Amino acid sequence: MTWLDFVALILATWRVSSLLVMECGPLDIFLRIRCAVGIQHDDQGRPEAWNGGVLAGLFSCVWCMSIWTGGLLYLVWWLSPTPVYILAASCGAIIIAEVQTWQQKSRSPQS
């Protein structure tokens, strides 16, 4: 494993964990998965309460989810690294967009 593979695995792990725990996804698929495991959401789709189940706890914590998605993505990378690189590229694009948004906000005049 090269350092590039390692960085790609880190970025892909963050992307998948973030999708599963914090984002609604297309057609609210990730929101529905979280509801199915017992997580209640506010009006914006952010998790706000969950039952005491193991899966609900997993789907409410990015750090907890990243352990399992990291292991799964390592297995995927071992079989074929291409999907991991695609997810890492997606994460890189999101980071660039967030940095640009942050820079625009910091340049705008404060009221």
Side-chain angles (χ1 to χ4, degrees):
M1 175 185 292
T2 67
W3 67 271
L4 182 62
D5 294 329
F6 186 68
V7 170
L9 279 166
I10 290 170
L11 292 173
T13 297
W14 175 82
R15 181 68 189 127
V16 173
S17 299
S18 176
L19 279 171
L20 292 171
V21 174
M22 296 187 295
E23 298 182 27
C24 293
L27 303 174
D28 292 337
I29 187 72
F30 302 120
L31 182 68
R32 292 176 192 198
I33 291 170
R34 289 193 304 269
C35 287
V37 298
I39 297 175
Q40 299 170 1
H41 300 83
D42 62 12
D43 295 336
Q44 286 78 35
R46 292 184 300 250
E48 64 178 2
W50 55 89
N51 62 24
V54 174
L55 280 178
L58 181 66
F59 276 85
S60 64
C61 172
V62 175
W63 298 97
C64 304
M65 182 62 79
S66 67
I67 299 296
W68 295 100
T69 56
L72 179 65
L73 286 171
Y74 179 77
L75 178 62
V76 169
W77 173 83
W78 186 70
L79 296 172
S80 172
T82 303
V84 172
Y85 289 138
I86 291 170
L87 287 167
S90 167
C91 179
I94 291 168
I95 290 171
I96 290 169
E98 288 295 320
V99 167
Q100 288 176 341
T101 302
W102 176 77
Q103 287 176 341
Q104 288 173 352
K105 286 181 181 179
S106 66
R107 288 187 199 140
S108 65
Q110 302 290 328
S111 334

